[in-house]
């Protein structure tokens, strides 16, 4: 069995369908989905994952109806203010990746507060991908390098990597996506170049700690090769 993933990313999908199936408004699905994150954060602390990245809102999600967007932002604000103390208490460092310039001011303020007061958390880095798109992140990084005056020959993978929103974090080892969709939807495109993928039909509001542990075990059974040849012991 392989070791634990250092960095796990989750595409928390299926909130809307979960609510539809129950005849509830989509926002109820989002509310339940936000509750689920607590268990998964707890589970990550239990087993000693270093970084957990949760995809909460994509750049493309800005195209959803205004009402859904504002409810999601409101939910995030309430959730963060309620949970801030718990994050601090548990030694969790909170960080947001994504295009902050599009976030409402009050959301930005609470995010910045959470980031600064949890700064010294060392048990787990909890990253929330908010107004996030992998392509958008790369474009912003490249623009930054151009305005800083880098010459073409100075640009390499390491430089780009250290100018992404995830600067300083290890690459994502395992990406989990719920709700049966088998796509990345612009999540950690650069960082996930060699990530193992775990897809499940479970809708995000139904995703449990047990299934999270199952996904981790599945990861541990995978043979990661990073382009190298298969070890003789595995060749048939
Ligand atoms: C995921 O659930 C949460 C966000 C994208 C904000 P969805 O809202 O995409 O739920 P489905 O995919 O419509 O079921
Ligand atoms: C991806 O889910 C984004 C998040 C889970 C935050 P979407 O529901 O937006 O993705 P698509 O549209 O099905 O690809
Ligand atoms: Mg969806």
């Amino acid at each position: 069995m392989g070791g634990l993933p250092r960095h796990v990313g989750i595409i928390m999908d299926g909130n809307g369908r979960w609510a539809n199936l129950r005849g509830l408004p989509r926002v109820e699905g989002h509310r339940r989905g936000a509750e689920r994150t607590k268990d998964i954060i707890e589970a990550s602390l239990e087993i000693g994952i270093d970084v957990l990245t949760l995809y909460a809102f994509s750049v493309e999600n800005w195209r959803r109806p205004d009402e859904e967007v504002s409810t999601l932002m409101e939910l995030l604000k309430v959730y963060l203010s309620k949970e801030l103390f718990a994050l601090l208490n548990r030694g969790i460092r909170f960080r947001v990746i994504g295009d902050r310039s599009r976030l409402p001011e009050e959301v930005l303020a609470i995010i910045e507060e959470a980031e600064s007061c949890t700064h010294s958390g060392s048990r787990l880095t909890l990253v929330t991908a908010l107004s996030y798109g992998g392509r958008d992140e790369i474009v912003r990084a490249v623009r930054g390098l151009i305005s800083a005056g880098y010459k073409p020959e100075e640009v390499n993978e390491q430089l780009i990597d250290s100018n992404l929103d995830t600067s300083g974090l290890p690459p994502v080892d395992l990406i989990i996506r719920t709700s049966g969709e088998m796509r990345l939807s612009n999540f950690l495109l650069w960082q996930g170049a060699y990530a193992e993928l775990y897809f499940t039909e479970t809708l995000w509001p139904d995703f449990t700690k047990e299934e999270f542990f199952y996904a981790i075990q599945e990861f541990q059974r995978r043979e990661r090769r990073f382009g190298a040849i298969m070890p003789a012991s595995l060749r048939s």
Side-chain angles (χ1 to χ4, degrees), residues 93-152:
R93 180 174 186 168
F94 179 79
R95 176 164 167 179
V96 164
I97 57 171
D99 179 5
R100 295 176 187 226
S101 70
R102 298 182 71 173
L103 294 174
E105 230 166 83
E106 326 85 75
V107 173
L108 196 60
I110 171 100
I111 283 171
E112 285 172 353
E113 187 194 349
E115 284 179 328
S116 73
C117 44
T118 63
H119 191 73
S120 53
S122 59
R123 284 181 70 207
L124 169 74
T125 299
L126 173 65
V127 181
T128 301
L130 187 62
S131 183
Y132 176 85
R135 289 180 172 188
D136 174 73
E137 179 189 34
I138 295 169
V139 169
R140 283 184 288 104
V142 171
R143 283 187 178 159
L145 295 177
I146 294 172
S147 23
Y150 280 95
K151 297 194 188 75

Side-chain angles (χ1 to χ4, degrees), residues 3 10 19 30 61 85 112 137 168 173 183 186 197 204 215 220:
I10 308 185
H30 295 315
N61 290 152
F85 187 67
E112 285 172 353
E137 179 189 34
D173 299 301
R183 53 176 172 264
N186 214 356
L197 309 176
W204 176 250
Q220 292 177 310

Side-chain angles (χ1 to χ4, degrees), residues 10-15 17 26 54-58 60-61 64 129 132 177-179 181 183-187:
I10 308 185
I11 304 171
M12 310 183 291
D13 198 12
N15 294 348
R17 277 163 283 171
R26 289 177 63 86
L54 301 177
Y55 202 7
F57 192 87
S58 73
E60 286 78 21
N61 290 152
R64 293 194 180 189
Y132 176 85
R177 182 172 190 148
T178 56
S179 89
E181 311 298 350
R183 53 176 172 264
L184 291 175
S185 303
N186 214 356
F187 185 54

Side-chain angles (χ1 to χ4, degrees), residues 165-181:
D165 299 343
T166 50
S167 160
L169 299 175
V172 62
D173 299 301
L174 169 65
I175 294 177
I176 296 172
R177 182 172 190 148
T178 56
S179 89
E181 311 298 350

